[in-house]
Amino acid sequence: MREKIEQLKKNIEQFKADTLQQLEEFRVRTLGKKGELTAIFEEFKNVAPEQKKEFGRLLNEVKNLILEKLKSQKESFDAVETVSGIADKTLPANADSIGSRHPISLAKNEILEIFARLGFTVADGPEIEDDWHVFSALNFPPDHPARDMQDTFFIEQNPDILLRTHTSSIQVRVMEKQKPPIRVVCPGRVFRNEAISARAHCIFHQVEGLYIDKNVSFADMKQTLLYFAREMFGENTKIRLRPSFFPFTEPSAEMDVSCKICGGKGCNICKHTGWLEVLGCGIVDPNVLEASGINSKEYTGFAFGMGIERLAMLKWQIKDLRLYFENDVRFLEQFQSVI
Ligand code: DAH
């Protein structure tokens, strides 16, 4: 009898079920009416009284072993079933959570696509620039405040190497390489020595635009920007150009779009003016064309520059610039539905 118990114990320890049916067969084979353990319990009746205690303990041990085996094997089947969903085939599948693009990428792609429809190609340039491409070639006077450490990040105290403060530097690189006609948009990251707040950041993104050909006029610029504003903010959008100043354009203007939240009536977003400022623009200063080797008697052009964060803020009513850089998924997930 002792041998039988030992043998049964070994069999149980080695047992592993591949299917639920095998597990059920194991239960019947051991604990069933004609099962192996049941048979030994029958024999137990004939055991001498002084051995009953010892055999009783052994038999209970084996019984517990079987029960534990049944339980653990059943649990492993359950786990597999829930993972693969076989347990209840009528349950709806768990939806995979999809990723989303960052709102800066979404806005940038949309801007580039709109200008692509007007024949603008995309140009790129370095983030670490020299004074020439960021300032001098763009007609900044030597004492312009942007050249100050307060506004610009210089690299290792070298006044010639700096982080670009605007993507206008790319228009200089394009003009140096390419003959007109030129029609480019230049997206990129820019850097300014500013304290970080809800409305300012030391890193942000811009898209610069440049159009140079014979007889390009202010009217061409206005029509191009009106088309852009309507594609970006809706077909009823109006634009307004206010006189402004930039060293690299003359005349210069700032463009506002009618507030799409209140339709121009006045609200918190547009500070009750009905207008939102979106970009700077102007006719390229002849000095800028000449600095890059383009004959200003033969060619004219317009340029414009806009902040992507700002446009995305207006488009999706994002109230704090810092949200763009914090990578909080609760913020980012809200852009899943935007392609
Ligand atoms: N570079 C200007 C800035 O960073 C933006 C800008 C204004 C670009 C007018 C232009 C322009 O090309 O014509 O604020």
Side-chain angles (χ1 to χ4, degrees), residues 126 128-136 159-162 169 173:
I128 301 174
E129 264 291 7
D130 50 28
D131 175 280
W132 173 255
H133 291 95
V134 177
F135 298 130
S136 296
D160 194 42
I161 307 295
L162 46 98
S169 54
R173 291 193 173 268

Side-chain angles (χ1 to χ4, degrees), residues 185-245:
V185 269
C186 321
R189 198 155 55 148
V190 301
F191 308 84
R192 287 188 198 173
N193 198 350
E194 305 228 23
I196 296 169
S197 72
R199 308 184 50 136
H201 210 287
C202 55
I203 303 176
F204 56 101
H205 300 76
Q206 289 186 330
V207 174
E208 176 81 10
L210 180 70
Y211 190 170
I212 300 192
D213 204 345
K214 290 180 175 151
N215 300 318
V216 176
S217 70
F218 200 90
D220 295 326
M221 178 179 88
K222 199 172 163 187
Q223 197 58 35
T224 304
L225 295 178
L226 176 64
Y227 172 79
F228 165 71
R230 293 199 162 157
E231 291 291 295
M232 190 81 189
F233 295 106
E235 56 182 345
N236 297 322
T237 307
K238 295 191 196 73
I239 63 165
R240 163 172 100 165
L241 292 170
R242 280 179 291 105
S244 185
F245 175 80

Side-chain angles (χ1 to χ4, degrees), residues 165-168 171 192 204 206 208-209 246 248-249 252-253 279-283 302-306:
T165 56
H166 54 182
T167 43
S168 304
Q171 60 160 278
R192 287 188 198 173
F204 56 101
Q206 289 186 330
E208 176 81 10
F246 300 102
F248 32 91
T249 44
S252 307
L279 55 83
C281 57
I283 296 295
F302 63 79
F304 53 88
M306 60 188 101

Side-chain angles (χ1 to χ4, degrees), residues 75-227:
E75 273 169 5
S76 67
F77 278 117
D78 283 349
V80 173
E81 283 184 349
T82 359
V83 167
S84 58
I86 341 169
D88 180 354
K89 290 183 180 145
T90 62
L91 276 179
N94 288 337
D96 280 341
S97 69
I98 53 166
S100 56
R101 287 199 195 286
H102 194 280
I104 296 297
S105 300
L106 291 169
K108 180 189 81 181
N109 292 345
E110 188 170 350
I111 297 164
L112 299 185
E113 275 166 26
I114 295 169
F115 283 104
R117 298 202 277 277
L118 293 172
F120 284 75
T121 53
V122 177
D124 199 4
E127 292 179 346
I128 301 174
E129 264 291 7
D130 50 28
D131 175 280
W132 173 255
H133 291 95
V134 177
F135 298 130
S136 296
L138 287 165
N139 205 32
F140 277 76
D143 56 353
H144 193 281
R147 292 170 181 255
D148 198 315
M149 296 275 286
Q150 301 285 311
D151 296 287
T152 302
F153 289 113
F154 291 90
I155 294 189
E156 290 177 2
Q157 310 295 314
N158 181 343
D160 194 42
I161 307 295
L162 46 98
L163 297 181
R164 67 181 175 200
T165 56
H166 54 182
T167 43
S168 304
S169 54
I170 308 175
Q171 60 160 278
V172 177
R173 291 193 173 268
V174 172
M175 285 191 285
E176 283 173 343
K177 272 204 310 256
Q178 200 180 316
K179 286 202 165 65
I182 292 171
R183 235 182 295 177
V184 285
V185 269
C186 321
R189 198 155 55 148
V190 301
F191 308 84
R192 287 188 198 173
N193 198 350
E194 305 228 23
I196 296 169
S197 72
R199 308 184 50 136
H201 210 287
C202 55
I203 303 176
F204 56 101
H205 300 76
Q206 289 186 330
V207 174
E208 176 81 10
L210 180 70
Y211 190 170
I212 300 192
D213 204 345
K214 290 180 175 151
N215 300 318
V216 176
S217 70
F218 200 90
D220 295 326
M221 178 179 88
K222 199 172 163 187
Q223 197 58 35
T224 304
L225 295 178
L226 176 64
Y227 172 79

